[in-house]
């Protein structure tokens, strides 16, 4: 028997026991070391137990391959005993997105209708073999799972940063195109914003500016950003950030603006004013409400490019793991909390901003 | 003495006589054959005589180089007697935009503060030597003017399409990236929308859809679009264009959506719903008002890229002239009206939708 | 029992009977309509029977899915009865190339050591279940097979052009970057060269020049190229093609040069001189011998980009099928011969230039 | 009167006096602080005095704008007293290359026929006003000169690195596309190779390998490269560099290979074997002789992209100056020698490898 944390309703997660599943020839089983907690877990927690039924949350698992079916080593390109990080996606493998680098857009695991698809961390236990989430001692390796090699010298806690740091690289670099000497403004100092700081630093950005609030939590995050290489940090509730950026850049403004803030529509508006003429903007933080009086004409008069963005590509996760493994950044400061399997409710509330203070990236250790 | 149409106030344009100007060593004089009328002339007409003083409008001139100062042939790369089309921009030549392909974004001829800069068709006659506009027998060739060679076999009327067709190529192709086999939806069947149809056809688009209204004027434009290669035309006030495109494309939706409509905010909203997941959207039609309740989250959940766009590059205008010269498209159907110099008021009202019916692209013949 | 043409040695192909194979859960069986003959089949024919043992050649098969294992419909994204074209590659599915658009470069089916890998049309019958080639009534659908949907209205003969036309699109367009108005010179009027003509035409090339020899066979190919949209054809043994292109282009030379010739090193040398400064060159035709006195400095002084190129991507094959299905090009002229299963030796000699005259693209019909 | 070093024949440079020139309205005069010595100066020195007549060599000048004609401030975007670095190019300003970012390819200053064009450092004194070279107290600012702002805090010696470091950024980054985590092998540890090391480091390369010889001079250069961030240095005459790179990269080989070596054809051959499948190769070092038995088929079978490359773009020089100004790299180690005006012969022999030992980047101080 193995243990997993099953969220049965919002606010109520139980440690349950499961039998080890049968493993089909092209599938496998992961022994989870730790599983990171994504910001989206908070919204999944609030809606999926009710809409889909009880489920094991968590989709940032790192661990060792415990068992493989007879055809699975060839299928995955890994063997039993290998250490891997798992993506949340289960791409179909044959559509135009899966035949390019964009398998995260796979039409058959439609991101707009998550309810109808199978993905790690958002699939109920009623779908066999139940072990779809990372807050568990073992996780099922579906034949379509996307795995990345994790070097032995990387601690499991840091390894859970593979996906969020992959997002930062995807947003700031692969999609945002930050290049040597450029100025980037990142709004929102959560794990995504901090990951973007690291990506921009790696890419040789000339000036990295991160904005947050003047709360104690954000102050700590902004201080950490400085250790990662941010040149300036701004408290958006204390200063006019558009004017502050104008001053910092001698009126040049930002080549790239990334909105990782999760609050109201203000940062959508400021993003457009923070950009230089012909600049690029990446929207990464959902607002869950419309923007009143959005001036689309500003995109035209200022020649702006805006990209909506979620998630990571295979390449960005590979790059993230290499950066983590390089030891160049004090990433321990980003991994603030590790929770036990029977603390998953507290863990999720913490990530949702309603639990322990000062969280940036949290993880669950299913063996503790 | 030479004649030019000077707009002294909105609704009042007079044919005035000017002396031939002195030509500095690095400047020249263009003998205008015809000058096209841009949609923006209507808004310039309404505001610039009042805000800047009397001016000669028009910035789509085609003609022959009449005179060149002693250093100007080397400067322009043309000699007296050459036939050229003129861009509206007067780029500084030394900023980062002018040292790349983006001189139209030149910071010293700031497009956001047109009032303070010198550009063809929007500079008052009080600035010497007055001849800044195309609705004139002669136009001053400023040392920074951007000229394009026009083949002799192209009629002057068709040659005035160089800039609007350049816009279509810039928006649909160079920036919009339309490629072989793709589906493009273009909203707004004016000269910009029609130019985008041609650009998409040239680029090998697999399915070109143009939407307009069910007015007689738009019906004629939509019919012309079919001759240019549009596969489908839609009357947006008669059908639900999102559903119509869904049906045409078997649910695939558009790879690229271009908004060339000048009306209300509806086409901004529909653009986002017309695009496939991970599609591209070009905003080219200004709304002069904010968009209420803009759902920025849709950009994120649908992974969209949105580009605001105005104007053309050197390359797009060169490509446009080559397409015009090829004779592949029945462009005569697009050149609906030619006005005399003393008919400029009527010409501008026609382009503004308040004059003669059925206008698409109009021109002024200063010799008639 | 089913019939297949087994090449047992160079020059000796026998029609043999095979039992219908067992189909694993994630595999299937294709009922072959026709299978195209690739130029590379000639070299495979000469070496593989000896180096690998008897094999069924052919890797351009088109047909209907006859049977699928219970998991295979989900795996392939197709169901029994669907009509498909098959790529030759059997990518591993998990390496960095397979996680991008470049699965044809899959490291585990190393193109440099074809002997050691499984691929359609080059795998011996000793590897179960033997049916790896297209010159057969049925072909095994390996779980990693890459399939494309083929519309019912396309004849099977034309459908066998999916891969060679895919190559043309890949080389001229996706990799060569031919764009609207550009000049392209294509050397070698075989099926690859002709496919590049079509790709360039689709992409809006302004001037398409194809060179061949003055042989009767090449004369016919050059004439066909004109029907596909080539603007000029040149007989390289009769004229100095560098000078001819200089004249045609008024000294501008070619934006893109594609070498599809299979002969000696002359076309490598001429390619460099045919290109304009800062032009692009695609090498697609292997010479099987070194180039004497190659002037690498010319790449530097002329700022050239040279790409070596083989094969197609998923996207290029999809685009090819759409072009075939559009009926825009008289492709029947390209499909010159169809051979019976007991005529495979003659078919291969014909493609190798030692059989029937006037071949461009040939196919095998295994039911005849 | 002003002093300049005039190379009257190979091996004979004289300090001559010149009158201050008349300055046309759109031109100016630069007071040279120092002028760097490019590797190409050695070949210019050997051929131009004979082929063109006496000339002032040097095209890496840094200095202050001493005088401007009345229209020149607007033309250059600088005013008297500004500190600038000068590019060698004098682009026409109106061709397709000058209207894009590629003015260094300007057709009217054809790089293939340098003899016929005006460029800094290669134009004889017989062409008025003689002051075309950097080894002079003053240099003429032609109306088409390309200038870059140099911050005051940068020493003049370091500022002369603007162009060679610009080359490194152009070759390794803007054209070579080195990106985060990639492996780059650079052949040739001269100033270009070292500049490529810095560019790769800025771009976040994961593994930078530089090869040279085991000579004392190269050993010192390789040691300096380590300070700039090279991960590995190889002595190509002591080890098999292809095997060494195979070992370092665990068989992955290089994503990008840059050949900056000026010796024989060996590095052209090794470049192709150092690249991974689908890798990129930049040829920057001319060989002045053909490559025997070049295997063009390797480009095809290995899917390689090869770019010939010379010089820099406006953007790369701007980026270079920003990197120099950042103080991030110990660039003093690269600036090995400063020569007086009457030591130009010794300076040129030193750069040519026949003068003082241990030179990397040298400069001339015309005031000493």
């Amino acid at each position: 028997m193995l243990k997993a944390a099953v969220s049965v309703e919002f606010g109520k997660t139980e440690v349950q026991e499961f039998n080890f599943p049968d493993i089909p020839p092209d599938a496998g089983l992961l022994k989870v070391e730790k599983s990171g907690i994504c910001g989206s877990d908070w919204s999944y927690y609030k809606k999926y137990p009710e809409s889909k039924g009880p489920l094991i949350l968590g989709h940032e698992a790192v661990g060792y391959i415990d068992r493989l079916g007879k055809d699975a080593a060839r299928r995955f390109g890994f063997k039993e005993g290998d250490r891997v990080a798992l993506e949340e996606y289960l791409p179909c493998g044959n559509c135009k997105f899966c035949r390019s680098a964009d398998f995260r857009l796979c039409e058959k695991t439609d991101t707009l209708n998550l309810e109808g698809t199978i993905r790690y961390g958002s699939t109920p236990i009623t779908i066999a073999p139940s072990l779809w989430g990372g807050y568990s001692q073992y996780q099922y390796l579906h034949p379509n799972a996307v795995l990345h090699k994790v070097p032995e010298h990387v601690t499991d806690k840091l390894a859970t940063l593979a996906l969020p740091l992959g997002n930062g690289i995807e947003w700031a670099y692969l999609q945002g195109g930050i290049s040597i000497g450029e100025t980037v403004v990142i709004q929102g100092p959560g794990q995504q914003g901090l990951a973007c700081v690291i990506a921009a630093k790696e890419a040789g950005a000339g000036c990295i500016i991160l904005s947050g609030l003047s709360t104690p939590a954000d102050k700590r995050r902004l201080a950490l950003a400085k250790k990662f290489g941010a040149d300036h940090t701004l408290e958006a509730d204390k200063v006019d950030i558009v004017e502050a950026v104008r001053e910092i850049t001698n009126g040049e403004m930002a080549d790239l603006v990334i909105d990782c803030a999760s609050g109201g529509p203000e940062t959508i508006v400021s993003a457009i004013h923070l950009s230089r003429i012909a600049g690029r903007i990446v929207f990464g933080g959902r607002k869950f409400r419309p923007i009143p009086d959005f001036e689309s004409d500003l995109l035209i008069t200022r020649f702006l490019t805006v990209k909506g963005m979620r998630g990571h590509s295979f390449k960005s996760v590979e790059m993230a793991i290499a950066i983590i493994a390089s030891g160049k950044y004090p990433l321990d400061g980003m991994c603030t909390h590790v929770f036990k399997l029977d603390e998953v409710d507290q863990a999720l509330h913490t990530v949702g901003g309603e639990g322990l203070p000062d969280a940036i990236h949290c993880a669950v250790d299913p063996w503790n």
Side-chain angles (χ1 to χ4, degrees), chain A:
Chain A
M1 301 291 278
L2 62 93
K3 291 181 185 172
V6 179
S7 296
V8 295
E9 61 184 65
F10 175 55
K12 185 175 173 192
T13 301
E14 303 169 350
V15 177
Q16 297 185 0
E17 294 203 329
F18 291 83
N19 286 312
F20 279 85
D22 290 335
I23 300 299
D26 56 357
L29 193 70
L30 180 79
K31 185 174 180 183
V32 177
E33 292 179 86
K34 281 196 176 54
S35 194
I37 307 179
C38 178
S40 63
D41 278 350
W42 177 240
S43 60
Y44 293 177
Y45 183 43
K46 287 195 280 191
K47 66 180 174 182
Y48 285 157
E50 186 173 349
S51 68
K52 297 186 174 185
L55 79 165
I56 305 167
L57 289 164
H59 55 265
E60 296 179 355
V62 173
Y64 288 90
I65 296 180
D66 190 68
R67 265 196 296 155
L68 288 178
K70 74 175 172 56
D71 300 330
R74 195 197 57 200
R75 176 112 191 204
F76 291 134
F78 286 100
K79 61 185 190 307
E80 291 182 0
D82 281 350
R83 195 182 191 208
V84 296
L86 216 58
E87 295 199 31
E88 66 269 46
Y89 312 121
L90 290 169
C92 76
N94 57 59
C95 73
K96 70 176 175 182
F97 292 120
C98 289
R99 295 294 187 197
S100 75
D102 290 326
F103 60 78
R104 75 181 182 281
L105 307 181
C106 173
E107 293 172 317
K108 295 179 192 167
T109 57
D110 185 350
T111 59
L112 302 179
N113 278 297
L114 288 166
E115 280 70 19
T117 59
I118 296 180
R119 260 189 182 197
Y120 286 123
S122 58
T123 298
I125 57 172
T126 50
I127 295 182
S130 302
L131 305 176
W132 299 105
Y135 309 147
S136 170
Q137 290 177 334
Y138 290 86
Q139 191 167 342
Y140 176 63
L141 292 175
H142 183 280
N144 290 16
V146 180
L147 282 65
H148 295 268
K149 183 177 184 176
V150 175
E152 286 296 328
H153 78 275
V154 175
T155 68
D156 51 14
K157 201 167 70 169
L158 291 190
T160 63
L161 293 172
L163 297 201
L165 184 51
N167 285 354
I169 293 169
E170 188 73 30
W171 302 7
Y173 184 64
L174 295 180
Q175 301 285 336
I178 187 75
S179 66
I180 293 178
E182 285 195 329
T183 295
V184 57
V185 175
I186 302 155
Q187 300 185 103
Q191 53 175 305
Q192 295 308 328
L194 290 166
C196 288
V197 168
I198 291 171
K201 192 69 190 174
E202 280 293 293
C207 179
I208 302 170
I209 304 167
L210 179 67
S211 72
L213 300 176
S214 63
T215 59
D218 270 14
K219 277 180 188 290
R220 267 180 290 260
R221 290 162 165 175
L222 295 173
L224 181 60
K226 288 243 174 171
K227 293 186 187 166
F228 290 165
D231 298 283
H232 301 272
T233 56
L234 300 171
E235 295 175 358
D237 52 351
K238 293 287 184 183
V239 299
D240 179 329
I241 65 165
V242 172
E243 287 314 308
V245 168
R246 194 182 313 281
E247 191 175 329
I248 290 168
T249 62
N250 288 316
E252 296 282 327
M253 306 309 288
D255 299 288
L256 173 66
V257 182
I258 306 173
D259 182 35
C260 296
S262 54
E266 301 78 16
T267 53
I268 295 290
V269 175
S270 59
I272 288 170
H273 291 280
L274 286 164
S275 169
R276 65 165 169 87
I277 289 183
R280 295 106 56 200
I281 299 173
V282 169
F283 287 165
R286 292 170 72 182
K287 307 305 175 195
F288 301 101
R289 76 189 97 165
I291 311 298
D293 295 332
F294 178 74
E295 293 188 78
S296 64
D297 281 4
L298 287 176
L299 271 59
I300 296 175
T301 54
R302 299 180 66 84
F303 294 83
L304 303 180
T305 297
V306 177
K307 287 189 178 188
M309 191 59 46
R310 280 202 310 172
H312 42 259
S313 60
F314 187 82
K315 185 176 183 180
S316 63
V317 177
E318 289 283 302
M319 293 164 94
I321 293 172
I323 290 170
I324 296 168
S326 76
K328 288 167 71 174
Y329 297 90
L331 292 168
D332 270 316
M334 204 161 153
C335 297
T336 52
H337 300 72
V338 177
F339 294 90
K340 299 179 184 176
L341 206 51
D342 60 5
E343 296 171 338
V344 164
D345 282 320
Q346 186 187 29
L348 291 163
H349 278 86
T350 295
V351 166
E354 302 183 0
L356 300 181
D358 299 338
I360 302 178
H361 190 252
C362 301
V364 170
D365 177 348
W367 299 97
N368 212 323

